[in-house]
Amino acid sequence: MELPVIWANYISIGLFLALGVGVWSIPKSAVVPEEYAGETWRDLRWWATGLILFQIALYTFFR
Amino acid sequence: MHPIDLAVVVAYVALITFVGIRFAQRVKTAKDFFLAGRSLTWWVIGLSIIGTNVDTNGYIGASGNAYSIGIAQANFEWIGAIPAMIIAALIFIPLYWRAGVYSIPEYLGLRYNQAVRVVAAGIVVTVSVFAMGVAMWALAITLQTFIGWPIWLGILVSGTVVGLYSVAGGLGAVAVTDSIQVCIMFLCGLIIVGIGISDAGGSASFVAKLTAENPTHLQAYLPSDHESYPWHGVILGLGLVLSPAYWVGGQAILQRTLGAKTQWDASAGMMFAAVAKTFVPVLIVFPGLLALVMMAEIEYPDMALPWVIKNVLPVGVSGLMFVAIIAALQSSIDSSINSTALIITRDIRHVLMKNHNPESDLKIGRILTLTLLLSAMCIAPYIGNLGGIFNFLQSLLSLFQGPMLALLLLGAMTKRATGTAGIITLVSGVLLAGILSWVVELNMLYVAFFTFCYAVPALWIISGFTKPHSDDHLRNLTYSPWANSNANKPSAV
């Protein structure tokens, strides 16, 4: 059976959610050097989270 | 061309040349030339990555595609880039940086063996030389279309400008000029959006006019029987194979991260590039949609962007937009030339010539940069006669991406992959891709996916029968953040 095109959006959103889980499985010490430990903006996992949420919004809107 | 537009173009060329030559004074060693002396900060790296990434096909071709298929063209910037860029920033860039390598083939040489390094370097150089010729030709065509210059003059002038800063200033000059070029590109993109939506009578009116005639132009995916971009192919081929291979293994892209001041700057640079990449469709997709809304009378889709520049933008701004197109092309040519010169100097010359003198790398690098530039200028006039060159380049890339990604992925994430298995998988994977492309005549998106599906188990199984490297050798070459995090200094290079 052929899946409707809308499933491409659902699969994309699922992939981005899985990526988000993967990002937060990386320990903070591997992302932020010790000398920057107190600076939240240097934690690239938050940058990645923002990007992922924005992508989910795009694939929710353009369907 | 209006005199004001021409003045804008001349001012841009003077600025880029001045900045590039200023950087030349800082270049004292091969590390300065190829890695900017490891001095690049995250925002310069991020902008430079986008400058390298948005090329000929990206600017004029993507607007034309958007005219034909709508917002689905943006998949190349969204699912076809963002996930891979995040993975590159958090996993692969820290790995390359800690390994202290100059290039991706050098990493493959350390992780597998020198045969893999030379084959990978050969692949990168082959693709780059074609890509440079294409970009140079497209630049000349652009100059011919807008100013009426003959092709040879366009190639001569654009080649000379690129040569002045990339031969003299190396990666530092290339990265900073790329950053200026990207700022110009985004400024022009925003101006087009502002003027376009205003002319259409507001955003609601714009959307209504667009979807009245083209109801699927605001849908992110196309049906599974679409000839060029079926949604399965976009997710499996582009999202899961071609895009990761490009963003975790593309030398021209990653070279500026290897020139970062710190490992954090390298990763943050890629992450910042991902933020900018999210908005690239504003630059390259919107003009195609605008041409549709404005009922542009054009002969073929690739004329969408030139039509918008000619009919929508006021004097001065159209000159700036013309500059943005030149900038997109120049920033791709200069990056390709610099990274190709690096790979020939270190990954081919150092391996094949046992008695090489590392002190001469800077001189050799500059000579190679100039030679590659002249080669691209000589090839460029003939590229136009080949026909369908962009599709050919994409097909050529899809031949190598599946096996290369398998080698990078298993090499970085496991200690099992061996050197012998690496070279067997790489060569057999490329052969399989050739058969799928030219004998079976499969869509390139599926070629990339199927060769990746072949290469991963092949590498895994053959590695079981061959001798692996020692754990000690693999310590800085495999990713294990839970065991060894926070090494913020590269190995000796």
Side-chain angles (χ1 to χ4, degrees):
Chain A
M1 192 190 81
E2 189 65 47
L3 284 173
V5 175
I6 187 73
W7 274 86
N9 292 65
Y10 298 151
I11 292 167
S12 303
I13 291 167
L15 286 171
F16 278 111
L17 288 171
L19 179 63
V21 172
V23 163
W24 284 99
S25 73
I26 298 173
K28 183 177 180 180
S29 57
V31 182
V32 187
E34 268 170 33
E35 60 266 38
Y36 301 142
E39 302 176 55
T40 304
W41 76 275
R42 288 189 185 267
D43 188 342
L44 297 177
R45 294 174 304 174
W46 285 111
W47 296 36
T49 303
L51 278 164
I52 288 167
L53 290 175
F54 193 70
Q55 289 293 311
I56 289 172
L58 287 169
Y59 281 103
T60 304
F61 182 76
F62 293 112
R63 63 198 162 97
Chain B
M1 189 175 241
H2 194 281
I4 293 176
D5 287 337
L6 199 57
V8 170
V9 174
V10 170
Y12 158 77
V13 170
L15 172 69
I16 290 292
T17 307
F18 171 74
V19 169
I21 290 173
R22 285 271 298 180
F23 259 81
Q25 296 160 2
R26 301 182 187 184
V27 176
K28 303 279 186 273
T29 66
K31 191 197 269 189
D32 293 338
F33 187 75
F34 289 128
L35 294 184
R38 287 198 191 271
S39 64
L40 300 177
T41 53
W42 61 275
W43 59 273
V44 170
I45 293 167
L47 291 174
S48 180
I49 285 173
I50 292 299
T52 302
N53 172 245
V54 178
D55 58 10
T56 326
N57 215 6
Y59 230 113
I60 298 173
S63 292
N65 256 351
Y67 182 87
S68 303
I69 65 173
I71 200 80
Q73 176 63 28
N75 281 318
F76 284 87
E77 323 302 325
W78 295 342
I79 195 148
I82 304 299
M85 293 172 86
I86 290 172
I87 291 167
L90 295 178
I91 294 178
F92 283 87
I93 288 171
L95 190 64
Y96 299 146
W97 215 83
R98 276 206 295 271
V101 295
Y102 276 55
S103 70
I104 308 307
E106 186 176 357
Y107 169 77
L108 289 170
L110 288 171
R111 179 60 188 83
Y112 290 97
N113 56 32
Q114 295 298 309
V116 171
R117 180 180 182 178
V118 172
V119 171
I123 288 171
V124 173
V125 169
T126 305
V127 173
S128 291
V129 168
F130 266 104
M132 279 184 271
V134 170
M136 194 71 82
W137 171 74
L139 191 48
I141 287 288
T142 306
L143 290 167
Q144 185 187 44
T145 306
F146 286 91
I147 316 182
W149 284 7
I151 293 282
W152 68 267
L153 182 62
I155 289 170
L156 188 67
V157 171
S158 54
T160 304
V161 172
V162 171
L164 275 174
Y165 66 82
S166 56
V167 174
L171 182 67
V174 167
V176 171
T177 51
D178 281 1
S179 303
I180 295 169
Q181 289 160 344
V182 170
C183 291
I184 293 171
M185 284 153 60
F186 269 102
L187 177 65
C188 289
L190 291 174
I191 291 172
I192 287 188
V193 170
I195 293 174
I197 287 184
S198 166
D199 283 2
S203 55
S205 170
F206 181 91
V207 170
K209 285 177 181 171
L210 178 66
T211 50
E213 294 288 326
N214 311 279
T216 62
H217 266 47
L218 285 183
Q219 290 177 8
Y221 285 104
L222 299 169
S224 54
D225 57 358
H226 190 273
E227 185 185 16
S228 303
Y229 305 113
W231 69 263
H232 313 112
V234 169
I235 291 177
L236 295 174
L238 176 67
L240 298 185
V241 179
L242 283 174
S243 158
Y246 177 84
W247 290 103
V248 309
Q251 177 61 34
I253 292 290
L254 290 163
Q255 192 169 330
R256 47 269 302 119
T257 68
L258 299 175
K261 203 162 54 170
T262 68
Q263 182 192 312
W264 185 86
D265 279 281
S267 291
M270 179 59 89
M271 206 65 94
F272 179 53
V275 174
K277 184 76 170 158
T278 303
F279 297 98
V280 163
V282 171
L283 310 181
I284 63 177
V285 172
F286 185 83
L289 301 180
L290 181 62
L292 267 179
V293 168
M294 307 286 277
M295 310 281 195
E297 291 180 6
I298 53 179
E299 290 173 34
Y300 51 94
D302 278 2
M303 290 302 292
L305 184 63
W307 185 90
V308 166
I309 293 172
K310 201 172 176 182
N311 294 281
V312 177
L313 298 181
V315 165
V317 177
S318 58
L320 197 62
M321 187 67 210
F322 173 63
V323 159
I325 295 175
I326 295 178
L329 299 172
Q330 280 186 337
S331 58
S332 299
I333 295 169
D334 61 26
S335 303
S336 272
I337 287 174
N338 189 264
S339 62
T340 308
L342 163 67
I343 285 178
I344 295 174
T345 303
R346 284 184 63 93
D347 296 312
I348 295 179
R349 180 171 158 267
H350 281 204
V351 174
L352 300 183
M353 288 177 60
K354 296 299 174 198
N355 299 320
H356 68 270
N357 174 13
E359 296 295 314
S360 62
D361 278 1
L362 174 59
K363 188 177 163 189
I364 296 278
R366 278 188 162 142
I367 291 169
L368 276 170
T369 302
L370 186 61
T371 307
L372 286 163
L373 182 66
L374 292 173
S375 304
M377 289 165 74
C378 292
I379 292 170
Y382 304 102
I383 293 273
N385 301 329
L386 291 177
I389 187 71
F390 297 127
N391 292 334
F392 171 72
L393 195 64
Q394 289 294 329
S395 302
L396 192 67
L397 267 176
S398 70
L399 291 184
F400 310 119
Q401 301 287 50
M404 284 284 270
L405 179 63
L407 260 69
L408 283 168
L409 208 55
L410 286 189
M413 305 304 283
T414 75
K415 293 184 175 178
R416 180 184 169 96
T418 67
T420 308
I423 190 69
I424 292 171
T425 303
L426 183 57
V427 173
S428 61
V430 171
L431 285 174
L432 174 65
I435 292 168
L436 291 175
S437 281
W438 294 312
V439 179
V440 183
E441 295 188 349
L442 210 56
N443 180 313
M444 64 167 186
L445 296 171
Y446 293 121
V447 170
F449 180 68
F450 287 132
T451 50
F452 176 71
C453 289
Y454 154 78
V456 169
L459 183 56
W460 187 266
I461 292 165
I462 299 168
S463 292
F465 297 101
T466 49
K467 191 170 176 287
H469 288 297
S470 68
D471 278 3
D472 199 40
H473 175 83
L474 296 176
R475 182 163 297 134
N476 269 342
L477 301 173
T478 51
Y479 183 74
S480 50
W482 299 273
N484 177 29
S485 63
N486 228 351
N488 200 33
K489 288 279 178 286
S491 306
V493 286

